[in-house]
Amino acid sequence: MSPADFTRPGSLYGAVDLGARKQALDAQARREAAAQESGGVPAPVIDVDDASFATEVVERSMNSLVLLELTVTRAEQARQYSLLLEKLAAENAGRWTLARVDVETSQQIAQVLRVQNVPALYAIFQGQPVAVVPGIATEAQLRDWLSQLLEALAQYLPPAGEAPGAGPQEPPADPEIIEAERAIDAGDLDAATAAYERLLTRSPNNADAKLGLAGLGLIRRTQDVDPAELERRLGDPADIDAQLLAADFELLSGDVDAAFDRLVAVVRRTAGDDRNKARVHLLGLFDTLPAEDPSVARARRNLASALF
């Protein structure tokens, strides 16, 4: 098994918090202090919610492997599964971190990952889901899954017994990216746009800048829209602009396939300028996700079918 064998449903970075990288600096310092107090042994499990997901899971995964458990903590069967995962986490201390999310109280994370059933276990590495164990697996099945996963990622992970961060680190973020994310946190979208554009001028193929600008486009188009008014407008099949905005909102909420399917359907049933407007808008939404995202690939095929 190789890294390419694992599914990559798309970038989580930015889907939850566009300013996460800045927050991660403080989070990293807190984790290092906690590790020193505990003798350098990572905590067996980190409880994560919507607010802390970007720093505790996405950013942590940039330098180490995070296993994300999505569960309902009040369910007895799920609790037994959690205990098994904690046992495996203790055995593998230093190679990966277990992060736990209660989907009853943190629904946004489940929406981003498009989770249908819990408990579920996701492997998160470098900001993306790279493997998943849906449902409840036996201890033997989990050990086999973990063995294959660690083998596939061996060249990127610290050796057994070596704490994450002891090996090669992720290159520091470009100053323009940091400036853009700080501007987003401050609500200054113009400054964020300018920072991303400066980076693209210097590095035209920078993926982070392209994703950032596309995400800012989503924010600009939706920030002043009244959802109730949009819902009313959707009753008019001829209101193409309402369909485009609805797709924007669906993408922001994490319902990626619904957003893409909506616009493909508009392309199928329209012609002329309306069809071209929907097509161009859909292509713009593709830019908000990594090119290898399977939802993008699926939507591109559907778009080609609708056009030809």
Side-chain angles (χ1 to χ4, degrees):
M1 182 180 293
S2 68
D5 294 325
F6 294 110
T7 59
R8 301 182 73 85
S11 176
L12 298 178
Y13 185 80
V16 178
D17 183 357
L18 291 173
R21 192 173 295 274
K22 181 177 69 67
Q23 300 171 18
L25 298 177
D26 291 337
Q28 178 66 26
R30 292 195 302 270
R31 288 195 293 270
E32 290 176 354
Q36 289 178 353
E37 292 175 1
S38 64
V41 179
V45 61
I46 301 170
D47 290 316
V48 177
D49 57 19
D50 290 336
S52 63
F53 178 74
T55 51
E56 294 297 346
V57 175
V58 178
E59 286 298 331
R60 182 188 291 264
S61 76
M62 294 301 177
N63 293 316
S64 62
L65 176 64
V66 178
L67 297 191
L68 180 66
E69 176 194 1
L70 294 109
T71 188
V72 176
T73 54
R74 63 179 175 82
E76 177 59 31
Q77 188 177 22
R79 281 199 296 270
Q80 294 302 315
Y81 191 60
S82 294
L83 290 174
L84 172 57
L85 293 176
E86 289 178 15
K87 171 185 175 182
L88 297 176
E91 292 177 5
N92 288 268
R95 299 215 71 193
W96 50 268
T97 302
L98 177 63
R100 179 172 297 144
V101 175
D102 188 327
V103 299
E104 288 190 321
T105 57
S106 299
Q107 299 179 2
Q108 185 180 3
I109 297 171
Q111 291 173 355
V112 168
L113 288 168
R114 286 167 261 169
V115 175
Q116 296 182 344
N117 298 296
V118 294
L121 185 65
Y122 285 77
I124 311 295
F125 185 62
Q126 294 185 345
Q128 299 189 45
V130 295
V132 59
V133 177
I136 297 180
T138 65
E139 180 172 348
Q141 290 170 332
L142 280 174
R143 288 186 181 279
D144 182 61
W145 179 80
L146 276 169
S147 176
Q148 294 184 62
L149 177 64
L150 292 172
E151 180 180 353
L153 299 177
Q155 61 180 311
Y156 308 106
L157 300 177
E162 182 178 307
Q169 298 294 301
E170 179 193 19
D174 189 285
E176 300 290 7
I177 294 290
I178 295 176
E179 182 175 341
E181 291 168 352
R182 285 174 176 164
I184 291 169
D185 286 346
D188 191 344
L189 301 188
D190 290 338
T193 298
Y196 284 133
E197 288 177 343
R198 286 195 299 271
L199 177 53
L200 284 176
T201 297
R202 176 162 45 86
S203 179
N205 295 319
N206 186 279
D208 286 339
K210 290 181 178 180
L211 289 171
L213 281 176
L216 286 174
L218 277 176
I219 295 173
R220 289 183 187 277
R221 293 195 299 269
T222 57
Q223 62 182 349
D224 296 323
V225 176
D226 179 357
E229 173 62 15
L230 177 59
E231 187 68 26
R232 184 193 66 77
R233 290 174 56 189
L234 287 173
D236 179 5
D239 192 341
I240 301 301
D241 289 335
Q243 296 294 331
L244 306 188
L245 277 172
D248 286 346
F249 274 105
E250 287 169 334
L251 193 61
L252 279 173
S253 71
D255 202 349
V256 176
D257 290 331
F260 291 167
D261 289 346
R262 177 185 293 275
L263 294 185
V264 169
V266 173
V267 170
R268 288 186 187 280
R269 66 177 174 80
T270 56
D273 291 343
D274 284 346
R275 168 181 261 206
N276 190 56
K277 179 184 286 189
R279 179 188 66 83
V280 170
H281 196 86
L282 178 56
L283 294 177
L285 293 190
F286 290 163
D287 290 338
T288 65
L289 296 171
E292 69 274 13
D293 188 296
S295 289
V296 172
R298 170 182 171 275
R300 287 191 184 278
R301 291 193 297 270
N302 291 342
L303 176 60
S305 175
L307 289 170
F308 306 107

